[in-house]
Amino acid sequence: MTTEYNQRSNFVFAPPADNPAAWQASLETFRDALERDFPGAFLEANTSGLRDFPVLDFEIEVAPDVHLTGTSAMPTVDYAYISVIEATPDEAAAFAVWLRDSYVPSPASVRFMSSFVMENGDEMPWRLPATGDTTDIAALMREHLAAAGAE
């Protein structure tokens, strides 16, 4: 019998540390991509309470009946991050595959980490593979969580 893995965490996605401008991203291009690929997306521009710069809050349906909420911050070309909030590895993987394959210019330019792992003292991001489907990426995210004792 298979038990559904439902550990939830906030997952953060960012460009490589050695090339922070790799995404050449902006809130406008991110908003446009969300509107194009996720019809009915809820998008709201806000100001970060922590750093006082513009952010884009979003809620999207990444798969039938699978909704994710998140926030993106891209105040300069060399600083970007996107977080999804309280997501399972499967939910975060669906977003990660879209981000890698449909938004960022290079599939090898995405790092990720989770709040659960950071709370347990590990602040080393993992690299998202340049290939692999949502099943492969979800397995990697489960491995990421397990490395910090989530299982």
Side-chain angles (χ1 to χ4, degrees):
M1 182 168 136
T2 304
T3 304
E4 182 179 338
Y5 183 89
N6 62 1
Q7 169 72 38
R8 292 188 172 275
S9 187
N10 299 338
F11 288 89
V12 177
F13 302 93
D18 63 348
N19 186 8
W23 290 1
Q24 294 294 305
S26 71
L27 289 181
E28 293 77 23
T29 62
F30 187 65
R31 172 188 282 277
D32 292 347
L34 290 175
E35 287 176 335
R36 177 190 68 228
D37 294 339
F38 301 100
F42 170 79
L43 307 170
E44 183 176 44
N46 283 307
T47 301
S48 168
L50 295 175
R51 296 191 176 100
D52 195 36
F53 53 68
V55 297
L56 179 68
D57 294 331
F58 60 91
E59 182 177 337
I60 56 175
E61 186 175 22
V62 293
D65 297 321
V66 178
H67 297 267
L68 278 181
T69 58
T71 298
S72 62
M74 301 173 191
T76 65
V77 298
D78 62 350
Y79 179 80
Y81 76 84
I82 301 167
S83 62
V84 293
I85 302 164
E86 288 298 306
T88 66
D90 292 314
E91 294 164 348
F95 178 80
V97 168
W98 171 82
L99 178 69
R100 180 195 68 194
D101 296 348
S102 298
Y103 181 68
V104 299
S106 167
S109 69
V110 181
R111 298 179 300 149
F112 76 94
M113 65 183 344
S114 69
S115 60
F116 180 85
V117 172
M118 289 173 35
E119 290 166 3
N120 284 290
D122 183 355
E123 295 190 13
M124 180 63 73
W126 286 35
R127 187 179 179 133
L128 195 70
T131 61
D133 63 13
T134 56
T135 302
D136 299 328
I137 303 305
L140 179 66
M141 291 181 160
R142 284 196 236 4
E143 181 183 334
H144 171 77
L145 292 172
E151 292 188 291

